[in-house]
Amino acid sequence: MRRILVPTDFSEEARNAYEVAISIARRTGAAIKLLHVVEAPYYSSNFSATGDTMVGSDSMEQLFMVQLLETTKNQMNELLRTVPHDGVDVVQEVDVDRPINKIKRTIKEDHVDLVVMGSKGSSGLDEFLIGSNTEKVVRSADCPVLTVKHRNPDFDVQEIVLASDFKREISTAMNEFKKFQQLFDARLHLVYINTPGAFESSSNLRQKLQHTADKYGLQNYTINVYNDVLEEDGILHFANDIRADLIMMATHGRTGLSHLLSGSIAEDLVNHTRVPVLTVHLK
C-alpha cells in the first residue's frame, strides 16, 4: 500500500477517519492525501481553487468564493496541526468541484490504494433518495474504501467478519481482503447469513465456505452459518457476537433505479453499523 486518500469535510467523523488513516500509514509506509472539495456552484466554471477567475464572473460571487477558499485552507492547516502525524507523509489539496467527481478522479490519477472516509450514516427519505457522499464513493470507487464512524486513533484489527453469499466470482475482492487480514495478522470469520427467503442446509453452506477458503488459500479463519431474518441484520448481529473490529464486503456498485430496487447490503452497512467497514467494488 503506497497511497491513501482521506476526503474531509472537517467533521468529527472525517477527523476520526484521518486518524485511522495515519495509523494504517504507519503500518504500511503509505503517504496520505488529505482532500477537501468545495461544492461547485453553478458559476464554478469561472473559478479555480487558486482563486483565479475568468472574465465575466460576478464580483460578489468571486468575493464569496475567495473567502470560502481562504476559510477552507485555514481549516485544513488546523487539521494538519492538531492531529499528530509524525513519520507519515501528508499532503493537502483543496479544490472546487463536485465531491464525488473529484474523489473518483483523484483515485485514478494518483493511483490510490485505499480511501478512508468518515460516515455519519443516513436514514429515512434522505438515505432512499440521495445517500451520503461516503455511500457514493463506496458504490463507485475503483479501490477499497474503509468507512469509519467513531474515534480509533490506535486502529488495530484482530477479528474480521467477511460476509458474502459466496456464489459470485469475488476473486478481485478476495485478494484485497487477504491483504488487509495479513496487514493486521487478524482472524478472518467467513459468514453466510441464512435467511427464510433463501434458506439452505447448514452442511451445504459450510461446504461452500470451505471451498472458498481452500480456493483462495485462506489462513487463520473460521467458517460460520448464521440464521437471521434479513442479511444485513444477520451480519450486524454476528459482528456484535464476535466483537468484530472490521466488516469486509464486496459491493456490486449498482446505481440509479437498479440500486433503489435491489439495494446493496454493503452500502446499507456503511450507514447503519458502528463497526468500520471495508468495501471492495466488484468490477
Side-chain angles (χ1 to χ4, degrees), residues 102-175:
K102 176 63 180 179
I103 292 169
K104 288 171 65 176
R105 192 165 63 250
T106 301
I107 290 171
K108 182 178 180 179
E109 292 175 353
D110 289 6
H111 305 287
V112 170
D113 300 300
L114 175 69
V115 176
V116 185
M117 292 190 73
S119 172
K120 297 178 183 178
S122 55
S123 59
L125 188 63
D126 177 63
E127 179 182 4
F128 184 75
L129 293 178
I130 303 171
S132 65
N133 278 322
T134 302
E135 183 182 340
K136 294 173 186 175
V137 174
V138 166
R139 194 184 306 159
S140 60
D142 289 331
C143 69
V145 179
L146 177 64
T147 56
V148 176
K149 286 186 180 176
H150 301 284
R151 189 163 187 258
N152 191 0
D154 301 316
F155 185 62
D156 189 27
V157 176
Q158 296 299 317
E159 309 293 338
I160 299 176
V161 173
L162 174 53
S164 174
D165 59 12
F166 300 99
K167 294 176 181 177
R168 63 190 117 185
E169 183 59 47
I170 58 172
S171 58
T172 302
M174 188 63 77
N175 290 335

Side-chain angles (χ1 to χ4, degrees), residues 1-2 4 19-32 86-89 114 146 152-160 179-186 245:
M1 188 180 299
R2 298 175 57 195
I4 300 174
E19 290 182 334
V20 167
I22 290 171
S23 181
I24 295 173
R26 287 198 170 109
R27 283 180 176 266
T28 61
I32 293 175
D86 301 355
V88 177
D89 181 17
L114 175 69
L146 177 64
N152 191 0
D154 301 316
F155 185 62
D156 189 27
V157 176
Q158 296 299 317
E159 309 293 338
I160 299 176
K179 290 177 186 177
F180 227 77
Q181 180 197 11
Q182 292 164 3
L183 176 62
F184 292 94
D185 193 25
D245 304 299

Side-chain angles (χ1 to χ4, degrees), residues 255-273:
T255 59
L257 184 61
S258 174
H259 171 68
L260 292 177
L261 292 178
S262 65
S264 169
I265 296 172
E267 291 149 39
D268 289 341
L269 281 172
V270 166
N271 281 325
H272 301 148
T273 183

Side-chain angles (χ1 to χ4, degrees), residues 141-257:
D142 289 331
C143 69
V145 179
L146 177 64
T147 56
V148 176
K149 286 186 180 176
H150 301 284
R151 189 163 187 258
N152 191 0
D154 301 316
F155 185 62
D156 189 27
V157 176
Q158 296 299 317
E159 309 293 338
I160 299 176
V161 173
L162 174 53
S164 174
D165 59 12
F166 300 99
K167 294 176 181 177
R168 63 190 117 185
E169 183 59 47
I170 58 172
S171 58
T172 302
M174 188 63 77
N175 290 335
E176 297 294 341
F177 294 150
K178 286 176 64 176
K179 290 177 186 177
F180 227 77
Q181 180 197 11
Q182 292 164 3
L183 176 62
F184 292 94
D185 193 25
R187 181 163 54 171
L188 188 64
H189 302 272
L190 302 180
V191 61
Y192 182 99
I193 307 303
N194 211 8
T195 62
F199 186 83
E200 293 189 51
S201 71
S202 293
S203 59
N204 286 343
L205 292 173
R206 289 183 181 278
Q207 288 179 12
K208 288 182 180 179
L209 269 63
Q210 187 62 59
H211 174 74
T212 297
D214 294 341
K215 178 179 179 180
Y216 296 107
L218 300 183
Q219 302 291 327
N220 190 18
Y221 65 90
T222 68
I223 288 176
N224 307 271
V225 176
Y226 195 93
N227 298 323
D228 215 317
V229 177
L230 299 172
E231 288 178 83
E232 181 187 342
D233 289 347
I235 296 169
L236 293 175
H237 294 155
F238 178 74
N240 183 62
D241 287 351
I242 68 164
R243 298 186 177 182
D245 304 299
L246 179 68
I247 298 172
M248 301 195 302
M249 290 195 70
T251 177
H252 52 57
R254 295 186 184 127
T255 59
L257 184 61

